[in-house]
Amino acid sequence: MATGTAVSEEGLFIPVSLRPPDTPPRRKGYANFHILQLIDFSKFLNGTQEERQATAKAVLSGFQGAGFIYLKNHPISADALKHAFAVSANFFRQAPDDKMAVCWTTPEANRGYSAPGREKVTNLVDLDEVGKVRAAAPDLKESFEIGREGEPGHPNRWPREHGEMGNFRADMLGFYDQCKDLHVEVMRAIAVGMGLDDKFFDGFVDVGDNTLRLLHYPEVKSDVFKANPNQVRAGEHSDYGSITLLFQDNRGGLQVRSPTGRFVDATPIEGTVVVNAGDLLARWSNDTIKSTIHRVVEPPSKGNDTYPPRYSIAYFCNPNFKSHIEAIPGTYATEAEKKYEGINSGDYLVQRLTATY
């Protein structure tokens, strides 16, 4: 059986198994949002047919309700994650000039290093408005983007390999492939949950036109947040593609917006991957799946004047860039009920990235 997490009165996601008997009932306006499914994904990968079906339904329900789920017992090992985080930290410890030598270039490529303040994640599309928001409260983070290796015209921008960076390329490509495999399985779970053949999405995701993003939120003084109430580590946004696999450290700060407009903490749970639906999957599902606004803010206070660095790794999953995306069968009864025109996946993502940088 899949288990869930519930939003307490303080707005924290608490595993249901840890909730005291007198936990208050859900509040008006939260609807299904108060349950974030904590799902044992091994039941889908290796369970009985009944367990596979139940897990798939839990995955779909989580995306339809909150747009976010936690997966435990997924196939990416703790050792692989620990190593990926260590390699990521090695990259961000490099001198600024070494990182800028592989800087981010264009939305079409979406590869390379983005220095603090360059990107402003937001759902705004007007470039002038994005610029105003960026100037008022720049995101306090730096990142490094890795795309599909061998994509014609868009080579990855690999840093010079030396010292602790000696195996960076092989390590990151290996982790990229593990995430790609998990992406395929999550999409299969969505298909089964929707009553489709489990291979329905395979032809849309087999190329692996995805982005592995290493993220570093540098150490920051708590006074920075006091001086500017709008300051965040990453601004309010929804993700652009189909799903996102997010691996967090234990620092905290990720928040998800509820239907009431209130942000609640998506507390890190050791050994899990947070998976959220993106805008293109919401569109693909005719809005039966939710792409939920989220952000990274001042972490929970520990009584210190300085917050330590935060690291996360996001794997942004997309339909193959050549794919034409139409409403999924079963999400509409008549052609008139389709909310969106068909769109090319690659074109859509470039449009969204152009407004971000």
Side-chain angles (χ1 to χ4, degrees), residues 15-282:
V16 167
S17 60
L18 303 181
R19 296 172 67 199
D22 59 348
T23 298
R26 76 175 77 175
R27 287 171 290 168
K28 183 178 179 181
Y30 273 90
N32 293 329
F33 187 87
H34 83 305
I35 295 297
L36 275 192
Q37 298 292 340
L38 173 58
I39 298 169
D40 183 348
F41 202 55
S42 68
K43 301 294 186 182
F44 180 79
L45 298 173
N46 306 307
T48 64
Q49 187 61 27
E50 291 75 16
E51 290 172 329
R52 183 176 169 86
Q53 289 284 343
T55 305
K57 289 180 179 178
V59 168
L60 179 61
S61 174
F63 288 141
Q64 291 174 330
F68 274 74
I69 59 176
Y70 292 83
L71 296 183
K72 66 177 182 178
N73 297 329
H74 52 81
I76 301 178
S77 71
D79 286 344
L81 281 172
K82 182 178 179 181
H83 184 67
F85 271 88
V87 173
S88 173
N90 289 344
F91 172 79
F92 290 114
R93 274 197 298 269
Q94 292 189 106
D97 286 348
D98 289 336
K99 291 183 286 188
M100 289 303 297
V102 290
C103 67
W104 193 93
T105 54
T106 67
E108 290 77 14
N110 192 29
R111 287 160 167 81
Y113 172 69
S114 179
R118 175 169 187 178
E119 181 194 24
K120 182 61 184 179
V121 286
T122 173
N123 274 18
L124 296 171
V125 295
D126 182 273
L127 296 182
D128 290 338
E129 292 301 316
V130 174
K132 292 176 184 177
V133 173
R134 180 187 289 112
D139 286 354
L140 301 179
K141 70 179 191 303
E142 56 182 342
S143 65
F144 184 73
E145 321 283 330
I146 300 166
R148 175 169 65 88
E149 185 79 332
E151 182 183 347
H154 300 302
N156 279 309
R157 296 178 61 75
W158 297 112
R160 186 169 62 93
E161 294 191 333
H162 61 100
E164 61 184 8
M165 290 289 294
N167 212 36
F168 183 83
R169 177 175 179 168
D171 286 338
M172 288 295 96
L173 289 178
F175 189 70
Y176 186 103
D177 287 342
Q178 291 185 68
C179 291
K180 179 188 173 188
D181 291 343
L182 180 54
H183 170 213
V184 171
E185 294 298 342
V186 174
M187 297 306 293
R188 287 176 177 173
I190 293 171
V192 172
M194 298 182 81
L196 303 168
D197 183 273
D198 67 346
K199 304 295 196 298
F200 176 84
F201 292 110
D202 281 13
F204 289 96
V205 301
D206 56 338
V207 174
D209 283 326
N210 307 318
T211 299
L212 176 63
R213 166 178 277 193
L214 311 180
L215 281 153
H216 172 225
Y217 302 83
E219 175 182 284
V220 60
K221 297 287 186 182
S222 59
D223 289 347
V224 170
F225 298 96
K226 295 175 184 175
N228 184 356
N230 295 318
Q231 183 64 64
V232 292
R233 280 180 151 175
E236 299 177 19
H237 67 285
S238 55
D239 292 343
Y240 307 152
S242 52
I243 63 171
T244 300
L245 312 177
L246 178 67
F247 305 93
Q248 305 186 75
D249 66 12
N250 62 2
R251 301 298 186 192
L254 176 63
Q255 293 188 329
V256 179
R257 192 172 74 182
S258 78
T260 65
R262 179 187 180 195
F263 279 93
V264 289
D265 294 323
T267 305
I269 301 176
E270 186 175 358
T272 66
V273 52
V274 176
V275 188
N276 64 279
D279 295 342
L280 195 50
L281 181 58

